[in-house]
């Protein structure tokens, strides 16, 4: 049952990447306020990502769990419409915030390390 959750994380990362392009975020100021502002920019995207990944992850889950006895009415009522509830949303919100900010901060840390290496290479006398 890890496959639906992997699809969820892939869609979250795709949405974060798309948000970088839409908002034209190419750099982050190296300060606490700059990083905080950067991370708060993605809070609304992570909050609405449920609308994008839920149908995909629930469809994958349905295909895996109900094989081979597929029934469209059962799928629609229990796996799609039945999962768009406040309870399910908040249950997924923890996973979304955790995985979203984990990947966002890992990418940010990687970019800072690359920038430091490039700066050190270009300024050998300063190190």
């Amino acid at each position: 049952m890890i496959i639906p959750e992997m699809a969820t994380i892939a869609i979250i990362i795709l949405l974060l990447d798309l948000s970088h392009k839409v908002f034209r975020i190419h750099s982050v100021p190296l300060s606490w306020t700059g990083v905080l502002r950067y991370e708060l920019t993605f809070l609304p995207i992570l909050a609405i990502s449920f609308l994008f990944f839920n149908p995909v992850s629930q469809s994958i889950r349905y295909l895996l769990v109900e094989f081979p006895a597929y029934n469209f009415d059962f799928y629609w009522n229990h796996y799609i419409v039945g999962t768009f509830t406040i309870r399910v949303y908040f249950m997924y919100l923890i996973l979304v915030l955790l995985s979203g900010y984990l990947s966002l901060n890992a990418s940010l840390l990687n970019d800072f390390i690359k920038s430091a290496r490039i700066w050190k290479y270009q300024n050998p006398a300063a190190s």
Side-chain angles (χ1 to χ4, degrees):
M1 295 314 311
I2 198 164
I3 295 171
E5 304 313 327
M6 289 174 59
T8 297
I9 292 171
I11 291 170
I12 290 169
I13 291 171
L14 180 71
L15 287 172
L16 291 173
D17 188 45
L18 184 63
S19 300
H20 275 93
K21 292 175 183 166
V22 169
F23 295 135
R24 295 185 177 119
I25 300 173
H26 302 290
S27 64
V28 177
L30 188 55
S31 67
W32 287 109
T33 56
V35 172
L36 183 63
R37 188 175 300 122
Y38 169 77
E39 292 196 359
L40 287 175
T41 301
F42 293 97
L43 188 58
I45 284 90
L46 292 173
I48 66 165
S49 66
F50 179 78
L51 300 173
F52 296 95
F53 71 75
N54 187 54
V56 174
S57 64
Q58 293 300 334
S59 296
I60 293 170
R61 184 172 283 110
Y62 171 75
L63 292 173
L64 293 172
V65 171
E66 302 299 328
F67 178 80
Y70 298 132
N71 178 326
F72 182 76
D73 288 333
F74 183 77
Y75 161 73
W76 185 254
N77 292 324
H78 290 87
Y79 282 87
I80 299 299
V81 176
T83 60
F84 279 99
T85 64
I86 295 295
R87 183 181 150 274
V88 174
Y89 172 77
F90 281 111
M91 185 176 72
Y92 267 104
L93 188 61
I94 294 166
L95 171 70
V96 167
L97 291 176
L98 185 63
S99 62
Y101 278 115
L102 186 65
S103 62
L104 201 61
N105 286 323
S107 175
L108 189 59
L109 181 61
N110 187 35
D111 289 345
F112 282 150
I113 290 170
K114 281 182 191 175
S115 296
R117 285 185 184 151
I118 290 170
W119 184 86
K120 186 177 179 179
Y121 178 75
Q122 292 174 345
N123 302 296
S127 50

